Amino acid sequence: MLALGMFLFHFSIDLGWGDDSYYITMLNKNNLNILPFIVNRYYNWSSRLIIESFLIILVHFEWLWRILDTAIMVLIAVSISKLIPSCDTRLKNWIITSFVFIYPINHMNSAGWIATTMNYSWPLAFGLFSMIPIKKILFDEEIKNFEYIFYILAILFALNQEQMCAIIFSVYLVFTVYLFFKKKPNLFMIIQSLLSIISMIFILTCPGNYARKIAEVGKWFPEYPNISFLQKTEIGYSSALFEFIMTPNKIFTLFSGLLLICTIITKKKSLHKIIAVIPLASNIIFGYPKGLLLESSPIIAYVKYSITEYGTGFKIFSIDTWLPDYIITLVLICILFSLYIIFDNKKYSILLTFIFLLGFASRFIMAFSPTIWASRERTFIFMYFSIIICSVILFQVILDSKSKKFIAFSTGIIGSIATFEYLNLIF
């Protein structure tokens, strides 16, 4: 179903604009020598040498990209499915498929479809795929010899993207250390961790990245060097959370709804349920009102539109600037608290919190790039899918509860929204 839906979508979109039109001029279709381009990019613009090596070739073959990018979206869904155990794999896969359809895929056209997807959704897909051996090792599942080759190739591509590199580095480092403490060190985990470290060093020392940062400051954010470290931190913090809380974000709405249902199922205390309802209520109150409803609520409008390219205007010694950050911080605390209390086995609580915070951190670190706003929504993809993964795991809690009404309700709502979003995308 996902493959068919994505196939129809990919063959309905227009290509050949944005950065795609730039990359297509970088290589002659009849002479595919990429070396001069790659050397120039390394010294003058980017460390994404692996990604761009494929990009400048594939941009000449639009039909092939349409097929491969369809496969990439399927790979994302399959990898998530492989990473999450379930008592009902079929239903789990339908939920994952639904969430992939709900993800606002138009975020991937902000710089041209081919260039944006290959720099963001492709590293995500290969990054998730490269994490499958972690789950297999933890659960003592067999890894066939040929699989190691694919996992290494996947991680090399994924590590070439800065945000994904930070995520993979964190994930492999944490679980490699965990296995050491369990006295079960694994050579493959160590190799993947070393590749992550090497890639991180390569990115940080690439002269092109430094040259690009200087150029981007002048083009997109001239005032950036004059902004304090504290203000940059607030910009990253608030921009990451505003995207989900202060907009009609269906992924976050569903996530916070599942969080509430899981709390209702697993906890009896009213206080726990009140805390769990705050993220959902906040998203509905601040994210969805518009028009006359918003005009009649000046406080809601003030909070919703408080963010600018300089953040929310938060000042430590000015209490009247605290409200927007207070609200998003309250929501974040309620999410983390609810994720922690839902599970009796705190290993799962820690895992889910780790996944959520990894996604948040992947967007937060954009605070230290002058293109935090120029990159637009595409840099949120890793946070989106961390929330999707958390949502799928929360759905497993509902499945395990055997509560027919909550299973039917959550499945029906997620499926209906997915259908609506896909039809809206196509038509």
Side-chain angles (χ1 to χ4, degrees):
M1 180 65 74
L2 179 61
L4 177 60
M6 284 297 164
F7 183 82
L8 294 174
F9 167 71
H10 279 81
F11 277 84
S12 70
I13 57 179
D14 296 323
L15 303 177
W17 58 277
D19 287 352
D20 294 356
S21 59
Y22 163 77
Y23 283 107
I24 205 168
T25 65
M26 293 297 103
L27 196 66
N28 188 320
K29 192 174 182 179
N30 298 316
N31 178 16
L32 300 180
N33 181 12
I34 65 173
L35 189 58
F37 173 79
I38 293 304
V39 171
N40 178 64
R41 297 294 276 187
Y42 173 75
Y43 284 105
N44 297 294
W45 196 252
S46 176
S47 59
R48 299 178 186 176
L49 306 186
I50 296 175
I51 292 172
E52 294 197 341
S53 295
F54 288 96
L55 171 56
I56 61 171
I57 295 174
L58 196 55
V59 76
H60 289 275
F61 304 95
E62 293 182 353
W63 64 270
L64 181 58
W65 172 83
R66 295 178 194 272
I67 295 171
L68 292 178
D69 200 62
T70 297
I72 285 293
M73 297 307 295
V74 174
L75 179 61
I76 289 173
V78 170
S79 297
I80 293 173
S81 179
K82 295 289 185 182
L83 287 166
I84 302 173
S86 176
C87 60
D88 190 335
T89 302
R90 183 181 176 84
L91 188 53
K92 175 191 69 175
N93 290 341
W94 274 109
I95 294 299
I96 294 171
T97 297
S98 296
F99 270 110
V100 173
F101 278 135
I102 296 169
Y103 168 71
I105 196 171
N106 280 328
H107 288 182
M108 293 294 102
N109 75 354
S110 57
W113 281 105
I114 299 177
T116 309
T117 53
M118 292 191 69
N119 278 282
Y120 291 92
S121 57
W122 286 42
L124 170 67
F126 289 123
L128 290 172
F129 179 76
S130 73
M131 295 178 194
I132 292 175
I134 299 176
K135 184 251 185 178
K136 289 190 171 185
I137 291 167
L138 291 175
F139 284 79
D140 294 319
E141 297 176 10
E142 181 187 4
I143 302 178
K144 295 181 174 62
N145 289 333
F146 73 88
E147 292 181 49
Y148 289 111
I149 298 173
F150 289 111
Y151 293 140
I152 292 174
L153 291 175
I155 202 172
L156 288 174
F157 189 96
L159 288 171
N160 208 218
Q161 207 277 355
E162 300 83 3
Q163 288 171 284
M164 198 67 223
C165 181
I167 291 171
I168 294 174
F169 169 78
S170 302
V171 171
Y172 263 98
L173 185 64
V174 166
F175 283 103
T176 300
V177 171
Y178 172 77
L179 288 172
F180 264 105
F181 275 106
K182 298 290 287 185
K183 297 182 178 180
K184 295 181 179 179
N186 183 277
L187 179 60
F188 184 70
M189 293 282 288
I190 296 171
I191 291 172
Q192 297 287 74
S193 297
L194 289 174
L195 288 174
S196 302
I197 294 171
I198 293 169
S199 295
M200 186 72 73
I201 294 171
F202 177 73
I203 289 169
L204 294 174
T205 59
C206 174
N209 285 336
Y210 180 72
R212 180 179 184 177
K213 183 174 182 179
I214 295 173
E216 298 283 30
V217 167
K219 182 178 181 180
W220 299 111
F221 207 159
E223 299 84 4
Y224 185 80
N226 302 320
I227 297 175
S228 68
F229 176 81
L230 180 61
Q231 189 173 0
K232 288 175 182 175
T233 300
E234 197 281 328
I235 292 172
Y237 177 75
S238 59
S239 66
L241 294 175
F242 260 64
E243 168 71 14
F244 295 90
I245 301 169
M246 301 296 174
T247 67
N249 193 305
K250 296 177 181 64
I251 295 289
F252 184 79
T253 304
L254 290 172
F255 163 73
S256 53
L258 291 170
L259 189 66
L260 175 59
I261 292 173
C262 288
T263 305
I264 292 171
I265 290 172
T266 60
K267 299 298 166 186
K268 295 181 179 180
K269 290 185 178 180
S270 298
L271 178 60
H272 292 160
K273 297 171 185 177
I274 293 171
I275 292 172
V277 82
I278 289 175
L280 178 61
S282 298
N283 180 235
I284 292 172
I285 292 170
F286 293 101
Y288 287 89
K290 57 182 179 180
L292 291 175
L293 182 60
L294 191 59
E295 291 175 8
S296 63
S297 308
I299 294 179
I300 294 176
Y302 162 69
V303 173
K304 183 180 180 72
Y305 298 122
S306 61
I307 194 163
T308 68
E309 63 178 355
Y310 300 101
T312 62
F314 174 82
K315 297 178 181 178
I316 295 177
F317 300 107
S318 183
I319 297 177
D320 59 330
T321 66
W322 291 7
L323 185 58
D325 284 86
Y326 171 79
I327 291 171
I328 60 176
T329 301
L330 176 63
V331 171
L332 179 61
I333 291 171
C334 290
I335 289 171
L336 297 178
F337 177 81
S338 298
L339 288 176
Y340 186 78
I341 66 169
I342 284 173
F343 298 95
D344 292 328
N345 186 339
K346 294 308 173 190
K347 285 184 180 179
Y348 292 105
S349 301
I350 295 171
L351 176 62
L352 219 61
T353 303
F354 179 59
I355 294 170
F356 183 88
L357 289 178
L358 264 183
F360 169 73
S362 72
R363 168 59 192 183
F364 172 79
I365 60 176
M366 288 301 298
F368 306 104
S369 168
T371 61
I372 181 171
W373 301 116
S375 298
R376 299 170 63 184
E377 297 93 346
R378 58 183 178 266
T379 57
F380 283 98
I381 187 172
F382 307 105
M383 188 170 178
Y384 266 102
F385 275 90
S386 75
I387 292 176
I388 288 173
I389 292 170
C390 288
S391 299
V392 176
I393 296 174
L394 290 175
F395 183 75
Q396 301 309 304
V397 175
I398 299 172
L399 280 179
D400 292 340
S401 74
K402 307 298 182 183
S403 173
K404 292 183 179 179
K405 65 176 182 179
F406 283 127
I407 293 173
F409 176 75
S410 54
T411 303
I413 293 294
I414 295 170
S416 298
I417 293 176
T419 302
F420 175 81
E421 289 298 303
Y422 181 72
L423 293 175
N424 187 52
L425 182 68
I426 292 294
F427 301 106

